[in-house]
Amino acid sequence: MSTTERPRILVVGGGYVGLYAARRILKKMRYGEATVTVVDPRSYMTYQPFLPEAAAGSISPRHVVVPLRRVLPKAEVLTGRVTTIDQDRKVATVAPLVGEAYELPFDYLVIALGAVSRTFPIPGLAEQGIGMKGIEEAIGLRNHVLEQLDKADSTTDEDVRRRALTFVFVGGGFAGAETIGEVEDMARDAAKYYTNVKREDMRFVLVDAADKILPEVGPKLGTWGREHLESRGVEVFLSTSMDSCVDGHVVLKNGLEVDSNTIVWTAGVKPNPALARFGLPLGPRGHVDTTEKLQVQGTDYIWAAGDNAQVPDMVGRKAGNPNAWCPPNAQHALRQAKVLGDNVISGMRGFPQGDYSHANKGAVAGLGLHKGVAMIVMGKMKIKLKGRLAWYMHRGYHGLAMPTWNRKIRIFADWTLAMFLKREVVSLGAMETPREEFYEAAKPAPAPAAAKPVGEKAKAS
């Protein structure tokens, strides 16, 4: 047992699984039964399916995040990182944002670190790439794209204009297709307010190593999504990849070369690398290996779920696929978190734990305002939608899935206001360096140059 009076349930990560599991545990727990501690580098959870809309200005960025301390008032929320876990001593090392690292004892452990962007050693990618995993990146992308329009509108140098108005997106899954669809929509609207920039001056490029985009909704809807983007002027290059992007010079494997200031990387995710330091059993791709009860293999006090876990897909295995695993998406993460929370309580009380089993309910994706694709699974029947109706399904599903009524109401209010008010196309790039102007004003002024006597000027002349 830990040194605290009550047993501690330590939740590592405050994303989908961390937030929902902690809420479930607190809801099911008796008063004073345990202490729930959540550790995350950020003090909020980000609802990632809304990042493309936040990047396009359709939703306020603040409404896409959920403050952990507000939603988990009965939990202990620590802003920092868990760097190591000593399973023998049941102690985790926490590195706070400031100050020295310290040890935190626990009795039960939930691993919910989620995933990070999956990158490759491509020359120039680390220096030039923009990810789409956090709200900071979405805001940065929005400001960056609008700044490129500002640059293009204010210069007569054609090379500068061409580079500023070329936008390259790598990755054709949900994140890539939705982001390029939303950003293209925003750029098209913004161009109406520029004298020297038109949509025809812009070049949008989508690259994917696979032979199709949007594989989550099936080949037919994926093909429709590709054709739809192409009809809007987006160049889609499949079965190819990016070889390099040094100094913004993009070289694709198919031979295409373009210069761009904007390279957005959405080519998949991978489990958080920190898992390798925890001493947990990992699968071949770095996920924590769990049982159908979401318990880590070989333990009776550690659970894991979501993007960082390798969870058996019981529905697929019952259908005859012994190697079926749950895909790392929000649909499974939200449902796994509830089962995980119940199992933590059952494990703490010594009761039998339940299995996680959930059949795929389909997938929805938005490709900009009033445009989308959706595949709804109802038993053995699949309903495929596209266009405006699919877009309504996308917004309805994710709007209702957004945690807390506070955020639900704010999201739907944003959408309602957008029906009557035009999209904001203001770039706030200075937010990234807010002190720069003050620093320039506050630093000592250079000493004025000494004036030469009039006589010396006359001699010099």
Side-chain angles (χ1 to χ4, degrees):
M1 294 290 289
S2 69
T3 57
T4 57
E5 294 181 2
R6 294 183 292 182
R8 172 177 276 119
I9 302 170
L10 176 60
V11 181
V12 183
Y16 291 116
V17 173
L19 172 65
Y20 277 93
R23 289 182 74 187
R24 189 76 169 187
I25 292 169
L26 291 167
K27 180 180 179 180
K28 298 282 186 175
M29 195 170 62
R30 293 189 291 263
Y31 177 77
E33 188 174 5
T35 298
V36 177
T37 302
V38 180
V39 182
D40 195 275
R42 296 180 175 86
S43 61
Y44 52 85
M45 171 262 198
T46 303
Y47 191 72
Q48 292 175 347
F50 279 150
L51 291 182
E53 289 203 47
S58 299
I59 300 175
S60 171
R62 288 186 178 87
H63 301 166
V64 179
V65 299
V66 180
L68 296 177
R69 288 182 175 85
R70 179 173 180 174
V71 179
L72 303 172
K74 296 181 181 179
E76 180 183 35
V77 178
L78 304 178
T79 305
R81 299 179 185 274
V82 172
T83 56
T84 59
I85 292 175
D86 188 330
Q87 296 184 46
D88 295 330
R89 296 170 52 218
K90 288 191 176 181
V91 169
T93 302
V94 177
L97 291 183
V98 293
E100 298 292 328
Y102 57 88
E103 291 189 339
L104 186 70
F106 63 85
D107 300 277
Y108 306 97
L109 183 64
V110 175
I111 304 296
L113 281 178
V116 299
S117 295
R118 182 185 63 189
T119 58
F120 302 99
I122 298 173
L125 178 59
E127 295 78 14
Q128 303 293 326
I130 302 173
M132 274 295 286
K133 283 290 294 175
I135 190 63
E136 303 87 354
E137 293 171 317
I139 297 172
L141 176 60
R142 170 179 168 75
N143 290 332
H144 175 82
V145 169
L146 292 175
E147 282 178 359
Q148 301 312 303
L149 302 188
D150 291 339
K151 290 179 182 179
D153 188 59
S154 307
T155 183
T156 56
D157 189 319
E158 280 304 315
D159 290 336
V160 173
R161 278 176 53 84
R162 191 179 305 109
R163 187 183 182 100
L165 296 178
T166 300
F167 307 96
V168 179
F169 291 72
V170 183
F174 268 7
E178 288 187 310
T179 302
I180 196 171
E182 293 285 355
V183 171
E184 191 275 339
D185 242 7
M186 179 189 71
R188 184 185 296 271
D189 284 348
K192 300 173 184 176
Y193 303 99
Y194 289 87
T195 305
N196 301 316
V197 175
K198 299 180 175 60
R199 172 61 182 91
E200 293 75 22
D201 301 328
M202 305 177 203
R203 185 178 187 183
F204 284 85
V205 178
L206 178 62
V207 182
D208 197 283
D211 60 355
K212 56 183 176 295
I213 69 170
L214 294 169
E216 300 90 343
V217 295
K220 288 187 177 180
L221 288 178
T223 299
W224 183 88
R226 175 179 58 78
E227 292 173 348
H228 169 75
L229 290 175
E230 289 175 338
S231 71
R232 290 161 57 182
V234 176
E235 301 173 44
V236 181
F237 296 98
L238 302 178
S239 302
T240 191
S241 57
M242 185 171 68
D243 283 343
S244 69
C245 57
V246 177
D247 295 329
H249 181 69
V250 177
V251 179
L252 301 185
K253 195 171 288 294
N254 64 1
L256 178 70
E257 297 188 25
V258 296
D259 290 320
S260 172
N261 290 340
T262 310
I263 302 168
V264 183
W265 183 266
T266 58
V269 297
K270 64 181 179 181
N272 196 308
L275 295 172
R277 302 194 299 267
F278 291 174
L280 302 171
L282 303 180
R285 299 174 63 185
H287 300 80
V288 180
D289 192 13
T290 72
T291 68
E292 63 276 8
K293 293 178 171 50
L294 303 176
Q295 276 192 314
V296 175
Q297 292 282 2
T299 72
D300 59 0
Y301 63 95
I302 306 177
W303 292 261
D307 291 358
N308 69 183
Q310 180 178 273
V311 179
D313 182 358
M314 301 309 295
V315 174
R317 296 191 177 195
K318 289 178 182 177
N321 183 1
N323 297 315
W325 304 96
C326 294
N329 57 32
Q331 182 181 154
H332 279 287
L334 298 179
R335 288 166 173 79
Q336 287 171 6
K338 296 178 181 179
V339 176
L340 186 152
D342 291 343
N343 284 352
V344 170
I345 294 293
S346 297
M348 185 170 59
R349 295 174 181 171
F351 296 154
Q353 299 178 37
D355 294 348
Y356 174 73
S357 179
H358 171 70
N360 180 29
K361 299 298 183 183
V364 290
L367 299 175
L369 202 61
H370 304 146
K371 300 169 281 284
V373 292
M375 180 182 68
I376 313 301
V377 179
M378 301 179 66
K380 295 183 179 180
M381 182 174 60
K382 293 182 179 179
I383 301 174
K384 299 178 182 179
L385 305 172
K386 56 190 178 184
R388 185 181 288 261
L389 183 56
W391 178 76
Y392 284 132
M393 293 290 295
H394 161 75
R395 283 200 162 182
Y397 173 79
H398 286 299
L400 294 175
M402 185 71 193
T404 78
W405 280 104
N406 179 297
R407 288 303 186 262
K408 285 181 173 67
I409 292 171
R410 291 177 185 272
I411 291 290
F412 280 102
D414 282 346
W415 288 336
T416 303
L417 289 173
M419 295 170 61
F420 306 100
L421 304 176
K422 293 182 179 180
R423 190 200 304 260
E424 289 288 350
V425 291
V426 178
S427 169
L428 298 176
M431 289 175 58
E432 298 170 16
T433 54
R435 293 189 64 254
E436 185 174 354
E437 187 173 342
F438 179 81
Y439 174 76
E440 291 295 326
K443 71 180 182 180
K452 292 183 179 181
V454 177
E456 290 188 14
K457 288 184 178 179
K459 290 177 183 179
S461 61

